[in-house]
Amino acid sequence: MAEYSISELNKVKRGPKRANYDIDTINSILDDSFLCHVGYVYKGQAIVIPTAYARKGDVIYIHGSLKNRMMLSLLDAGVASVSVTHLDGLVLARSAFHHSANYRSVSIFGSVRKIDDSDEKMEALAYILNHMVPGHWDNVRHPNTKEFNATLVLEIKINTASAKIRAEGVNDEQEDHDLPIWAGVVPIKQVAYDAISDTNLPLDVKVPEAVKLYVSKNKSI
């Protein structure tokens, strides 16, 4: 298994037994979501912003307006830190101290590049939309010249990364096991419901197959 080398930058220090540096595992966590949080510094102030992303190989794409302060700050810095987290369960212990959560998280550290080539830029925008709903790019109007020119697309090359994963039950103190207090795990999953069509749609416009497939794969049972 290929792994990212452990450095001072990506080393998981708190709870190192839950650390994972396997590239396939990290990519899997990235591919299971389309929302990341990006850290940057603007005029000396640290800021974290959620934004959509897509992964292609060892890079992720993000986009925003030409005047977006996050995008411009990342370009100025030349490097980026990005995190993705999935909440998989609430771990409810007998004691308040041992309450926790099951999760899968990734921290990425990479170099930033502005995508100027028109074909590459359009492909990146398609990746971002299709990462949200696979195949949906083929169902929508593509950006016109004005929209395209007003959009800044950045590539963040994943130079190194680490994952941290908790997937276990309650870890109470042994002496608390006989207490008459319930303990256990409440699993959590993000689910999709049936698509709600816009009220202004022409009567003959139906929900695209890509959207219906996304709903069926992510629907609550």
Side-chain angles (χ1 to χ4, degrees), residues 12-88:
V12 176
K13 297 182 179 180
R14 176 68 176 170
K17 69 177 183 178
R18 297 186 177 127
N20 193 310
Y21 303 93
D22 176 64
I23 293 176
D24 287 341
T25 299
I26 288 170
N27 287 342
S28 176
I29 294 172
L30 293 176
D31 293 346
D32 279 348
S33 182
F34 57 81
L35 184 67
C36 68
H37 287 80
V38 181
Y40 66 100
V41 177
Y42 179 74
K43 295 184 177 179
Q45 172 66 55
I47 303 173
V48 176
I49 295 291
T51 191
Y53 74 92
R55 181 186 72 87
K56 180 184 178 184
D58 61 352
V59 305
I60 65 170
Y61 298 123
I62 61 174
H63 73 299
S65 74
L66 293 178
K67 296 181 180 180
N68 183 294
R69 68 183 185 183
M70 177 187 75
M71 305 288 280
L72 296 177
S73 296
L74 292 176
L75 273 177
D76 286 342
V79 292
S81 176
V82 178
S83 66
V84 172
T85 301
H86 301 275
L87 177 62
D88 294 323

Side-chain angles (χ1 to χ4, degrees), residues 77-170:
V79 292
S81 176
V82 178
S83 66
V84 172
T85 301
H86 301 275
L87 177 62
D88 294 323
L90 302 179
V91 181
L92 307 178
R94 296 167 181 81
S95 68
F97 183 79
H98 286 295
H99 275 61
S100 187
N102 283 338
Y103 58 86
R104 291 162 291 144
S105 65
V106 164
S107 294
I108 293 170
F109 305 93
S111 51
V112 178
R113 178 178 73 92
K114 177 184 176 184
I115 297 180
D116 290 312
D117 179 79
S118 295
D119 292 338
E120 185 182 5
K121 182 177 174 181
M122 190 67 82
E123 181 185 39
L125 292 172
Y127 260 86
I128 293 171
L129 182 56
N130 283 335
H131 189 65
M132 183 181 296
V133 178
H136 195 48
W137 180 258
D138 294 335
N139 300 321
V140 302
R141 176 181 67 77
H142 297 172
N144 59 35
T145 300
K146 181 180 179 180
E147 294 166 340
F148 188 74
N149 292 338
T151 302
L152 179 61
V153 179
L154 299 183
E155 174 196 277
I156 301 175
K157 173 76 162 57
I158 305 175
N159 296 329
T160 191
S162 58
K164 191 175 180 183
I165 302 168
R166 189 190 195 279
E168 57 188 280
V170 176

